[in-house]
């Protein structure tokens, strides 16, 4: 008898031993996720088929209205926060009050997609355990996974004691302006929370699930140079000077030589100069006039830079400013302005500890350990707005490919293991004392 039990364990790759660490409630979570998978796909299809491009305000609100009863059925108090002041639709906020004195969790996702109503990519199409559709992964798949996890917690009895606040922004793909208003509710929730869990997509490398404990910032800059206009035959003379384009080139060349450091990238995405150079109101076009025999009096360049910490952001900003301010070419001047958009989420010890907890759950589920993802491989996101105030994990949504393109394809089956991970993690955190 003992021999047959050992043989059975070996045939199952040791799975019975790995699963032994799960509590009865956690085993029920697993069964509930499996049972809730198909209904979750049905909900996802409904969400995807409602266009909610960031600028489709009625569409974003319609998705929020679809989600309201889902959260209310779980005992959440749901609020819609209009964002007229930030020129966006609004945010859905849902609060579940659990046992006092326990970990306060913030769950983050978003309602909007990059696909506006004029996009030809509008429809959910299922292909077995995969599906294509606008936002099928980013981030309607993440929201569906979040709800699948919460429903499993309710079925297992672990939700009732959990303190959870959900913030689903309506403008993650195109943040409202000013950001101080557009992200005020999220920042306030982060100050209340002990832990933040981001339900955007699962990162994978070579088919292996990865843990994300960091996101880089996304900041933009505009560089302007001026010079003396005149006939090109006089360029470089003391009287005529070098012109605005050479001054712009001096600065950009210095950026390339002097700025590089670990975890930093910087890009020049748009450039123009001549007799005139006017940037359009959206900041994506430069209308230029000029002639080959005129020294250009104006030049403009726009770009971005991405960092791994706010200290790095401040330091790189100062270095760029110093390059712009010193060594002007003859007869020229230059200035730079910065638009600090999404902040960074540094890989802190607290974030690493959360990933360690998640990997403990992976072991208990018989899943492979999730190594920490290189932050250079993850873009900016909403969780960064709360990273200064709370520990966090990124990527609890489903795996996918082709995000932000008509090739967006979600791995529906990955929702199951992601929901199990998230539900067990939240259940265990709910049993721990609050940290603030």
């Amino acid at each position: 008898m003992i021999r047959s039990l050992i043989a059975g364990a070996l045939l199952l790759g040791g799975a019975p031993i790995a699963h032994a660490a799960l509590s009865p409630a956690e085993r029920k979570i697993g069964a509930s996720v499996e049972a809730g998978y198909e209904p979750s796909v049905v909900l996802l299809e409904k969400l995807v088929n409602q266009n909610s491009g960031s600028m489709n305000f009625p569409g974003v609100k319609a998705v929020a209205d679809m989600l309201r009863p889902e959260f209310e059925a779980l005992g959440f108090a749901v609020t819609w926060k209009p964002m007229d002041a930030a020129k966006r639709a609004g945010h859905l906020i849902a609060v579940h009050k659990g046992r006092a004195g326990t970990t306060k969790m913030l769950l983050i996702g978003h309602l909007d997609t990059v696909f506006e109503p004029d996009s030809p990519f509008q429809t959910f199409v299922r292909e077995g355990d995969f599906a294509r559709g606008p936002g099928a992964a980013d981030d309607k798949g993440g929201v569906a996974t979040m709800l699948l996890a919460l429903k499993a917690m309710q079925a297992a009895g672990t939700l009732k004691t959990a303190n959870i606040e959900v913030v689903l922004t309506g403008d993650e793909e195109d943040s409202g302006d000013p950001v101080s208003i557009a992200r005020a509710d999220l920042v306030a929730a982060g100050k209340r929370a002990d832990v933040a869990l981001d339900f955007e997509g699962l990162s994978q490398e070579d088919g292996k699930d990865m843990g994300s404990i960091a996101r880089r910032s996304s900041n933009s800059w505009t560089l302007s140079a001026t010079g003396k206009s005149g006939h090109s035959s006089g360029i470089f003379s003391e009287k005529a000077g070098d012109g605005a384009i050479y001054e712009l080139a001096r600065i950009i060349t210095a950026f390339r030589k002097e700025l590089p450091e670990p975890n930093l990238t910087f890009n020049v995405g748009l450039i123009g100069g001549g007799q005139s150079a006017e940037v359009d109101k959206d900041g994506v076009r430069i209308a230029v006039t000029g002639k080959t025999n005129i020294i250009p009096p104006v030049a403009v360049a726009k770009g971005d830079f991405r960092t791994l910490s706010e200290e790095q952001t401040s330091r790189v900003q100062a270095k760029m400013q110093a390059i712009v301010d010193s060594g002007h070419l003859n007869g020229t001047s230059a200035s730079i302005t910065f638009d600090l958009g999404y902040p960074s989420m540094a890989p802190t010890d607290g974030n690493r500890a959360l990933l360690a907890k998640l990997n403990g759950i992976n072991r208990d589920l018989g899943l492979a350990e999730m190594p920490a993802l290189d932050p250079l491989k993850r873009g900016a996101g909403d969780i960064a707005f709360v990273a200064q105030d709370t520990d966090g994990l990124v990527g609890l949504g489903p795996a996918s490919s082709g995000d932000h393109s008509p090739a967006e394809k979600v791995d529906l089956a990955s929702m199951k293991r992601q929901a199990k991970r998230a539900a067990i993690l939240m259940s265990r955190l709910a049993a721990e004392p609050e940290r603030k």
Side-chain angles (χ1 to χ4, degrees):
M1 180 67 177
I2 293 174
R3 185 178 300 169
S4 64
L5 286 172
I6 293 172
L10 290 173
L11 284 171
L12 291 170
I17 296 174
H19 286 272
L22 294 175
S23 70
E26 290 169 348
R27 287 195 290 273
K28 188 167 185 179
I29 281 173
S32 297
V33 167
E34 294 290 338
Y37 170 60
E38 287 297 338
S40 293
V41 175
V42 171
L43 173 63
L44 177 58
E45 179 175 7
K46 180 181 176 183
L47 297 174
V48 170
N49 285 335
Q50 169 58 62
N51 178 277
S52 60
S54 304
M55 302 309 293
N56 179 8
F57 298 172
V60 173
K61 179 61 163 57
V63 170
D65 290 342
M66 293 175 188
L67 292 170
R68 174 185 284 273
E70 298 288 334
F71 284 103
E72 289 179 338
L74 295 170
F76 283 77
V78 180
T79 304
W80 171 253
K81 295 296 292 290
M83 280 289 123
D84 297 348
K87 299 177 285 294
R88 292 298 183 271
H91 311 318
L92 184 74
I93 299 173
V95 178
H96 185 278
K97 292 186 177 180
R99 181 180 296 136
T102 58
T103 302
K104 300 181 291 294
M105 291 170 271
L106 169 62
L107 312 188
I108 301 171
H110 60 91
L111 307 166
D112 63 320
T113 76
V114 299
F115 303 97
E116 298 294 340
D118 60 354
S119 168
F121 189 48
Q122 296 287 345
T123 307
F124 182 94
V125 178
R126 184 167 182 177
E127 302 167 352
D129 276 339
F130 292 86
R132 301 180 186 275
D138 185 17
D139 185 39
K140 293 173 181 178
V143 176
T145 302
M146 180 193 297
L147 281 165
L148 181 57
L150 293 171
K151 289 174 182 178
M153 290 175 68
Q154 184 187 53
T158 62
L159 180 60
K160 61 185 177 184
T161 59
N163 287 299
I164 297 174
E165 183 169 3
V166 177
V167 177
L168 303 180
T169 57
D171 61 343
E172 195 272 349
E173 302 294 4
D174 188 356
S175 179
D177 182 34
V179 171
S180 59
I181 292 176
R183 290 296 174 270
D185 293 297
L186 180 61
V187 170
K191 293 183 183 301
R192 292 188 289 270
D194 299 308
V195 170
L197 304 176
D198 179 306
F199 280 79
E200 286 198 296
L202 169 66
S203 292
Q204 294 181 313
E205 287 191 344
D206 300 321
K208 184 180 182 64
D209 293 353
M210 304 294 288
S212 297
I213 58 172
R215 301 189 80 150
R216 291 194 303 154
S217 65
S218 178
N219 309 296
S220 60
W221 51 266
T222 300
L223 174 64
S224 301
T226 60
K228 299 175 183 177
S229 185
H231 197 282
S232 63
S233 62
I235 195 167
F236 307 139
S237 67
E238 185 65 28
K239 181 178 180 181
D242 288 24
I245 290 178
Y246 275 118
E247 171 68 354
L248 199 76
R250 171 194 73 82
I251 295 168
I252 291 172
T253 300
F255 285 173
R256 183 67 185 90
K257 290 181 178 179
E258 300 177 29
L259 292 181
E261 62 178 68
N263 298 312
L264 170 70
T265 56
F266 50 95
N267 179 56
V268 183
L270 190 64
I271 191 168
Q275 187 67 30
S276 66
E278 297 182 359
V279 182
D280 75 346
K281 63 181 179 61
D282 296 320
V284 297
R285 300 175 187 84
I286 301 177
V288 176
T289 65
K291 291 185 177 181
T292 59
N293 62 352
I294 297 176
I295 301 171
V298 62
V300 181
K302 294 176 69 69
D304 76 353
F305 71 102
R306 298 169 186 262
T307 60
L308 190 54
S309 70
E310 293 308 280
E311 181 277 329
Q312 186 178 37
T313 297
S314 297
R315 179 162 40 78
V316 170
Q317 190 177 351
K319 287 173 69 175
M320 294 175 77
Q321 186 71 60
I323 290 169
V324 171
D325 290 344
S326 62
H328 294 305
L329 299 180
N330 179 35
T332 69
S333 64
S335 62
I336 190 168
T337 60
F338 297 94
D339 181 5
L340 302 183
Y342 276 75
S344 59
M345 175 186 176
T348 64
D349 288 342
N351 298 353
R352 294 186 185 94
L354 273 177
L355 180 56
K357 286 181 184 291
L358 187 62
N359 276 323
I361 293 166
N362 283 328
R363 288 190 294 273
D364 294 342
L365 289 170
L367 298 173
E369 180 172 324
M370 299 167 69
L373 180 74
D374 181 346
L376 289 175
K377 298 178 180 179
R378 188 102 208 188
D382 274 344
I383 194 172
F385 285 101
V386 306
Q388 301 297 305
D389 298 307
T390 188
D391 300 329
L393 274 180
V394 180
L396 290 167
S400 64
S401 61
D403 292 9
H404 287 207
S405 82
E408 183 171 353
K409 185 177 183 179
V410 61
D411 178 356
L412 295 171
S414 68
M415 291 170 59
K416 291 189 281 188
R417 66 178 182 276
Q418 287 291 81
K420 291 173 188 177
R421 285 166 171 155
I424 295 174
L425 177 61
M426 289 188 283
S427 297
R428 293 183 181 183
L429 287 170
E432 296 179 1
E434 63 183 352
R435 306 176 188 181
K436 295 180 181 176

